Amino acid sequence: MTFKVGDRVVYPHHGAAIISRKEQRTDFGEKTEYLVLQMAHGDLTLSVPVDKAEDVGMRPPISEEDVEDLFQLLAKKDVREPANWSRRFKNHQEKLKSGDVYQVAEVVRNLALRENNKGLSAGEKSMLTKAQSVLVSELSFALDVSEDEALSRVHDELDVDAGEDD
């Protein structure tokens, strides 16, 4: 797949980005072309060698048609996950590293459900925040809405109170 300047993309573990430019660099005597990504949230800028973009898992955002499947996954309540904290944490880390939006959504759903039922450790809270930010950034691109609107939709599907008292 060829990416070009202006494309909206998703970079695993960081979320949605826009390719702001291409640049040539000389590394170890070899010229390499890089894609410079401006992340959708925060001030992070990443450079990815053009010939490694697919290898690192960079991809276009999901389509608007796929969003409905994603929301169904978020709404599912009968979740099976390891009872052991460290296994569960490792399992969630692997899912986040995959860069697959459905696996990221599973992490968000599982941690949100656990938070509502039993509460989360500091590590799991941090992971939920990170996973939610990656998911929301991609959904905002897929639905062409603000990140706040995408977050609101995620909370609606999860049926969580978004931190407010009912």
Side-chain angles (χ1 to χ4, degrees):
M1 169 168 279
T2 44
F3 296 104
K4 59 189 184 307
V5 173
D7 281 354
R8 291 175 162 199
V9 296
V10 176
Y11 189 90
H13 211 61
H14 291 291
I18 296 174
I19 300 174
S20 60
R21 66 183 187 277
K22 285 185 178 182
E23 61 186 31
Q24 294 271 338
R25 293 189 199 152
T26 304
D27 298 323
F28 309 108
E30 281 188 42
K31 279 191 177 179
T32 306
E33 188 172 27
Y34 284 84
L35 299 169
V36 179
L37 310 181
Q38 186 60 53
M39 301 315 293
H41 57 273
D43 292 328
L44 184 63
T45 301
L46 293 174
S47 295
V48 181
V50 171
D51 60 344
K52 299 277 188 242
E54 282 187 59
D55 296 347
V56 300
M58 198 169 97
R59 60 176 175 75
I62 59 170
S63 68
E64 194 170 352
E65 294 77 41
D66 292 331
V67 171
E68 198 50 49
D69 290 340
L70 193 72
F71 283 158
Q72 286 176 6
L73 179 93
L74 285 173
K76 196 174 167 193
K77 299 288 183 244
D78 57 336
V79 177
R80 289 199 188 118
E81 58 180 357
N84 177 294
W85 181 90
S86 63
R87 267 201 204 105
R88 195 171 57 245
F89 194 82
K90 189 171 171 29
N91 185 357
H92 287 144
Q93 279 181 318
E94 292 302 315
K95 287 180 179 188
L96 288 178
K97 278 185 201 167
S98 76
D100 178 275
V101 69
Y102 294 98
Q103 290 194 35
V104 172
E106 277 184 36
V107 172
V108 169
R109 177 199 63 204
N110 294 353
L111 290 175
L113 286 172
R114 180 167 277 280
E115 183 176 43
N116 273 2
N117 296 331
K118 301 176 180 143
L120 296 176
S121 69
E124 285 176 315
K125 278 183 183 171
S126 171
M127 183 180 280
L128 174 58
T129 300
K130 175 70 178 163
Q132 197 166 261
S133 136
V134 168
L135 178 64
V136 164
S137 70
E138 181 162 359
L139 281 174
S140 74
F141 275 10
L143 296 169
D144 201 24
V145 297
S146 71
E147 287 196 8
D148 287 342
E149 174 66 21
L151 179 62
S152 176
R153 297 276 306 270
V154 166
H155 285 158
D156 289 348
E157 294 302 325
L158 288 170
D159 196 25
V160 297
D161 61 12
E164 298 148 13
D165 292 326
D166 286 331

